[in-house]
Amino acid sequence: MSSSQPFLPSSPLSQFYSSGGLRKSRFTYKHLSQLSLSSTTCPLRVIAHVDLDAFYAQCEMVRLNVPEDQPLAVQQWQGLIAINYPARKFGMNRHITITEAKKLCPNLIMQHVATWKEGDEKWAYHKDAFAQIATHKVSLDPYRLESRRILACIKETLPAPPLQKVEKASVDEVFLDLSAQIHSILLEQYPELSGPPPYDDPTENLPRPPTTALDWNTDALVDLDNTETEDDDPDWDDIAIQIGSEIVRGVRAAIRERLKYTCSAGIAHNKMIAKLGSAHKKPNQQTIVRNRAIQQFLAGFKFTKIRNLGGKLGDQVVSTFGTDQVTELLQVPIEQLKFKLGDDTGSWVYQIIRGEEYSEVNARTQIKSMLSAKSFRPSINTFEQAVRWLRIFAADIFSRLVEEGVLENKRRPKTMNLHHRQGGQMRSRQAPIPSGRSIDEALLFEISKTLLGQVIVDGRAWPCANLSLSVGGFEDGATGNRGIGGFLVKGDEAKAMRPTPRDVDNQDYTLESGRPGKRQKVDEGGIQKFFAKRDSSRGEHDDDFGADDEAPVLLHHSSSLGDLGTSTTMEGQETQPQNDEKHELGKAFAVQENDEMVSPNAPPSNIPSHQPSIETYLCPKCNTPLPTARKAEHEDWHFAKDLQDVDRPTTAGSSSTKPSSSAAPNGGGSKKPATVGAKRGPKKPGGVTEGKGVEKGQKRLVFGR
C-alpha cells in the first residue's frame, strides 16, 4: 500500500544532493573527525616545515645591523660555516677557503663565531679569534638564543594547545601540525560541516566545497600530476592546505616583523614532503605541495635527498638498483624491493618514494643532552692544560643549563660523561650529578676533574687529541615543594593562633620558660598498661638529659592492697619496699583509673576514692580487690603474664627448666609475689648459694629437687 505523503529523506543534506546541487566529496565525515585529532593517517592532514634562511649568517646580520644586500659569511677558524644569499651570488659555498672567498667577493664581511677563552665568564666575540685556535673554543650560544626567540614567536602566533603542535627539528627548522587549527577554521567558515553525518553514518561522504577556485596568493604552487587538471573543482584537501598556507604566511610575517628574520616554508600532507617543499624555493618563500601534485613534485628529486633515505641506506639502494632518481625507482615492483632490501625496508622505500609517510609531529622540544668539546691542534700534554679546558667546558654547559631553567629547578641533568681521545684510543667515564645539591659551575668542574683523574689513572693519557664533556638524562625538577617558611605563619595569622587566657589556665606551664609542660603519655593498650615510669620527683632535668633514670617499673598485684613485694625494673634491678611492715594504702603505689603510678607522697586528691557503693571484684588468683569494671582487664593481665612465664627462653646447656612463678601468689597473702627477672637470694635448703644475678630474660636452674 503506497502512502499519499511524499518521501522525506532522513538526512538534511540528502534533499540537497538529490536536487543535483553539488556532487559529494571523496572525503568522509570520519576523515573530518580525524582532522580534529591530528591523526597521522587522515588524508586531510596539513603539515608545515619552517626553515630559517642561512640562519647563522642572518643572526650576524641582525646583530651587526648590516643591510640585507650586504654579502656576509660566518667564519670558524679558517673555514666558512654559513654564507648569506647576497654572497652566494658571487659563487661562494662553504667548501672554499677564506682566501678564495675574498677573491670572489672583495667586500665580503667575514665574521668569526663567538668563542670561549680561559678566564672568561661568558662567550664573547674576539677580533683575533681565528688565530687563537689553540687557546679558544667555539661557542654557538648566540645562535641557540636566537633560535629560542624564534620558536617563542611561532608559538605566540599560533593558538594555544591542543590546537598548537610545534616540533623543533633543529636550531633553524621547525615542524608545525596545523590539522586541529584548520579543522576549527573549516567549521567556522563552512557551517554545513558542523552538522551530524547523514543517517549518523561517519562513512558518509562530505558535501562538495562550494568554492570553485582558490587564491594561492604569491605562494610557489607545485604543478599538478599529469592525470590532474586545474579545471577540476577543489576538494576539502585543497581547502585545508590553502588555509594552512595562510596560517604559515602569518607565522613568517610575525618572525619578520618582530625579529627581522626571513624564513622559507613548505606546506604538504606529511613531514617528508613539507621538508622538501621548504627547500624548493628559497629564500623567503613558501611552497605548497597539494595531494594531487605529489608525484609531479617528487619526480624531479634524487631519492637520496629524501628525509631518512640518505647515508648508508641511500648508498645501498643506489648500488643495488643502479639509479638515484625517484622516477626510475618507481618502476621497481615492491616484491623486488623486499627481496633486495628486506621486507620492512623494502616496504618503507616503496611507500616513501610515493610520498606516503606517517611520522607524527612531536610537540616536545626539550633538549636531551648538552655537549662541549675541543679538538686540540697541537695536542695537549699535561693535566694542567686539560683542567683549563674542563673549566671552559663547565662554564659553557652551565650557561646553557641556565637557559634550560636549572636555576629555577625546572629541568636538571642526572649524569655527566667525559670522553678522552689519545691517539686512536677513546676512553669514556661517567658519574652521577648529586641530586641533593644545586647545580653550578663549580660542581660541574669538580665532577669533570674527578672523571679526568680516573682516565689518567687507568693508563696513558698524553698526548690528548680531543676532550669533551657532556651532561644528559634530563628530568623535570620537583614541583610543589615548599621551604620551611611555607609551614610557618606570621602577622595576623600568627596572632590569631596565640592561646587565649582560658587556654592558658587549662595548660601546665613551667615557671622558668613559660612554655607548656610535657604531659605524661598514657598507653591504653595491651599488657604495657601495667608498666609505668618511676617517680620523677627526684629532680628536674632537661628533655634530653636524665631520661635514662626513668626506667619503667612493673606493677605487681599483691594478696592485699596493702602488700607490695619486691619489684624489678625492666633492666632487672630490684626495688625494695620502703619498710618491712605492712604498708597502708596511703603509702603504697596503687593503680589509678588512668593506669598511672601514684607516689606515696602524692596529695590525697590523686588517690582514687573507693566508695562502698561501687561493686568490687576479688581476684581468685591474687586476692586483689578491684572494681568490677576492671575484671576483664585484670584477667587479661593474668593471661598475658602466664604466657610470658611459659615462653621465657631457657639458659644454654640446661637439662631442665622450671617456669618462674606468677606475679600473684598461689596461696595466702603472707608470701611476697615473685617478679619478672628478679634476683634470687641465698637458697635455704643445703646452704647452697647462687652466684651473680641473672640477666634480663634468663632464669636459674633448680637442683636437688
Side-chain angles (χ1 to χ4, degrees):
M1 181 176 178
S2 63
S3 173
S4 59
Q5 299 295 329
F7 171 75
L8 296 176
S10 59
S11 171
L13 295 175
S14 296
Q15 283 184 330
F16 188 65
Y17 296 149
S18 61
S19 63
L22 282 178
R23 292 180 294 112
K24 288 188 177 182
S25 168
R26 61 189 179 94
F27 302 103
T28 65
Y29 282 87
K30 180 179 180 180
H31 295 150
L32 184 65
S33 177
Q34 290 177 334
L35 184 67
S36 66
L37 302 175
S38 300
S39 172
T40 58
T41 59
C42 177
L44 299 174
R45 183 187 188 210
V46 178
I47 305 296
H49 180 260
V50 179
D51 187 13
L52 275 297
D53 300 323
F55 181 53
Y56 289 0
Q58 271 205 96
C59 289
E60 298 301 340
M61 293 175 67
V62 172
R63 183 180 68 86
L64 299 173
N65 196 26
V66 300
E68 293 184 359
D69 59 351
Q70 169 65 48
L72 182 144
V74 179
Q75 178 183 356
Q76 179 175 318
W77 311 132
Q78 298 300 319
L80 301 179
I81 62 173
I83 302 172
N84 68 358
Y85 284 91
R88 294 183 190 185
K89 295 179 181 179
F90 292 87
M92 286 187 292
N93 57 61
R94 289 181 294 177
H95 303 291
I96 65 175
T97 63
I98 304 298
T99 305
E100 293 173 340
K102 280 291 186 180
K103 288 180 180 179
L104 292 174
C105 182
N107 66 334
L108 178 69
I109 295 178
M110 306 287 293
Q111 176 59 54
H112 198 280
V113 297
T115 57
W116 284 88
K117 186 177 69 173
E118 184 182 5
D120 291 349
E121 296 182 358
K122 186 176 176 60
W123 49 264
Y125 286 92
H126 303 275
K127 293 182 178 180
D128 61 342
F130 65 92
Q132 305 297 330
I133 187 173
T135 58
H136 285 227
K137 178 195 172 301
V138 168
S139 174
L140 300 180
D141 286 358
Y143 312 130
R144 296 189 185 100
L145 292 173
E146 292 302 295
S147 176
R148 291 175 181 270
R149 294 179 62 204
I150 294 170
L151 182 63
C153 179
I154 292 174
K155 292 183 176 181
E156 291 172 3
T157 306
L158 297 174
L163 297 182
Q164 176 190 121
K165 290 191 71 174
V166 179
E167 174 186 341
K168 181 180 179 181
S170 70
V171 71
D172 63 344
E173 56 182 336
V174 174
F175 282 107
L176 311 176
D177 190 337
L178 305 173
S179 303
Q181 183 180 356
I182 291 173
H183 177 267
S184 65
I185 296 175
L186 281 175
L187 297 185
E188 181 181 349
Q189 294 184 356
Y190 302 94
E192 61 269 24
L193 298 179
S194 59
Y199 314 107
D200 291 329
D201 185 3
T203 60
E204 282 286 324
N205 295 83
L206 294 168
R208 196 77 176 187
T211 306
T212 58
L214 298 175
D215 181 13
W216 299 102
N217 207 308
T218 58
D219 297 338
L221 191 64
V222 176
D223 294 335
L224 298 177
D225 297 341
N226 296 330
T227 59
E228 301 286 343
T229 64
E230 294 290 353
D231 296 334
D232 296 333
D233 291 336
D235 208 339
W236 289 113
D237 59 339
D238 298 319
I239 302 292
I241 205 168
Q242 192 265 344
I243 295 175
S245 70
E246 295 177 354
I247 297 173
V248 174
R249 192 179 299 112
V251 170
R252 293 174 51 234
I255 297 173
R256 176 72 164 166
E257 178 182 353
R258 301 179 191 177
L259 305 176
K260 300 181 180 181
Y261 291 100
T262 65
C263 53
S264 301
I267 302 98
H269 172 61
N270 54 47
K271 294 173 70 173
M272 185 264 290
I273 302 295
K275 183 173 175 62
L276 293 175
S278 65
H280 185 60
K281 295 288 185 179
K282 289 176 81 69
N284 198 25
Q285 296 187 62
Q286 64 184 44
T287 301
I288 298 176
V289 186
R290 292 168 288 179
N291 291 350
R292 295 185 290 162
I294 290 178
Q295 291 303 317
Q296 178 69 21
F297 179 66
L298 292 178
F301 282 95
K302 295 180 179 181
F303 58 75
T304 52
K305 299 293 184 181
I306 296 178
R307 188 168 177 253
N308 298 326
L309 197 51
K312 294 182 179 180
L313 177 58
D315 295 340
Q316 179 185 358
V317 176
V318 171
S319 62
T320 302
F321 298 99
T323 182
D324 60 357
Q325 297 295 320
V326 172
T327 52
E328 296 181 9
L329 196 61
L330 285 171
Q331 309 304 320
V332 180
I334 188 174
E335 291 78 11
Q336 189 174 354
L337 289 172
K338 289 182 177 180
F339 178 76
K340 297 288 186 179
L341 305 175
D343 289 346
D344 294 339
T345 304
S347 299
W348 181 81
V349 171
Y350 181 84
Q351 293 178 343
I352 208 73
I353 61 177
R354 287 165 173 78
E356 300 175 12
E357 193 260 349
Y358 305 101
S359 61
E360 184 179 4
V361 172
N362 187 358
R364 298 194 62 180
T365 58
Q366 295 176 333
I367 62 175
K368 299 179 181 178
S369 63
M370 291 181 181
L371 171 70
S372 186
K374 173 70 176 177
S375 294
F376 303 112
R377 301 172 187 172
S379 300
I380 58 176
N381 296 281
T382 64
F383 176 77
E384 290 73 18
Q385 287 179 292
V387 167
R388 287 198 294 267
W389 284 107
L390 289 180
R391 186 179 296 278
I392 294 176
F393 295 165
D396 182 17
I397 291 177
F398 179 69
S399 67
R400 290 148 62 185
L401 288 174
V402 171
E403 299 168 16
E404 275 296 300
V406 69
L407 295 182
E408 296 82 12
N409 200 33
K410 293 179 181 178
R411 300 189 76 220
R412 61 177 289 146
K414 294 190 294 185
T415 58
M416 173 179 286
N417 295 271
L418 182 136
H419 299 275
H420 174 282
R421 182 161 60 86
Q422 189 272 327
Q425 184 179 10
M426 177 69 77
R427 296 187 180 93
S428 300
R429 292 295 180 271
Q430 184 183 82
I433 298 176
S435 58
R437 291 181 58 181
S438 59
I439 296 180
D440 55 19
E441 184 178 331
L443 174 63
L444 299 179
F445 178 57
E446 177 186 336
I447 299 175
S448 65
K449 277 204 309 182
T450 302
L451 295 177
L452 179 61
Q454 295 175 4
V455 171
I456 295 175
V457 169
D458 287 347
R460 183 179 177 186
W462 317 111
C464 175
N466 180 275
L467 195 63
S468 67
L469 192 68
S470 64
V471 294
F474 278 82
E475 61 182 359
D476 294 333
T479 58
N481 290 350
R482 295 188 298 169
I484 190 171
F487 297 92
L488 305 178
V489 294
K490 56 182 68 175
D492 295 338
E493 187 177 358
K495 293 179 180 179
M497 298 180 64
R498 290 181 179 176
T500 62
R502 177 178 298 179
D503 297 332
V504 173
D505 294 340
N506 293 336
Q507 293 185 0
D508 296 330
Y509 281 81
T510 60
L511 296 177
E512 298 179 359
S513 64
R515 295 178 300 172
K518 286 190 175 181
R519 296 187 179 182
Q520 184 175 2
K521 181 179 178 181
V522 179
D523 188 354
E524 298 184 359
I527 195 172
Q528 295 297 330
K529 65 171 51 188
F530 294 95
F531 296 85
K533 294 182 181 291
R534 290 183 183 178
D535 183 19
S536 59
S537 60
R538 291 171 293 177
E540 295 182 358
H541 45 71
D542 191 76
D543 294 343
D544 298 327
F545 297 91
D548 293 338
D549 297 333
E550 297 184 17
V553 180
L554 175 63
L555 288 177
H556 301 284
H557 298 264
S558 60
S559 58
S560 66
L561 201 58
D563 274 344
L564 183 68
T566 303
S567 62
T568 309
T569 65
M570 293 298 293
E571 285 75 15
Q573 300 174 347
E574 287 186 345
T575 57
Q576 298 294 336
Q578 295 179 358
N579 52 60
D580 295 332
E581 300 176 356
K582 297 289 183 178
H583 304 291
E584 287 81 15
L585 181 62
K587 296 182 180 181
F589 287 87
V591 181
Q592 294 191 32
E593 292 296 324
N594 60 357
D595 296 330
E596 294 182 353
M597 292 296 296
V598 181
S599 171
N601 299 325
S605 59
N606 292 339
I607 302 177
S609 59
H610 300 282
Q611 300 178 3
S613 59
I614 298 178
E615 297 183 4
T616 58
Y617 159 75
L618 183 64
C619 176
K621 293 185 177 181
C622 62
N623 296 327
T624 301
L626 296 168
T628 305
R630 299 179 60 90
K631 175 182 177 182
E633 179 181 319
H634 185 72
E635 291 177 348
D636 290 342
W637 183 89
H638 278 293
F639 179 75
K641 187 65 179 63
D642 293 341
L643 289 178
Q644 186 180 26
D645 292 340
V646 172
D647 294 340
R648 178 172 298 171
T650 59
T651 305
S654 64
S655 59
S656 63
T657 60
K658 180 179 179 181
S660 61
S661 58
S662 173
N666 295 329
S670 60
K671 255 188 174 182
K672 295 182 180 180
T675 57
V676 179
K679 289 183 180 179
R680 294 180 182 269
K683 202 168 181 64
K684 295 180 180 180
V688 181
T689 59
E690 296 187 10
K692 299 180 179 179
V694 297
E695 296 181 359
K696 177 184 177 181
Q698 296 180 341
K699 62 182 181 181
R700 299 194 177 281
L701 298 177
V702 180
F703 297 96
R705 293 185 183 179

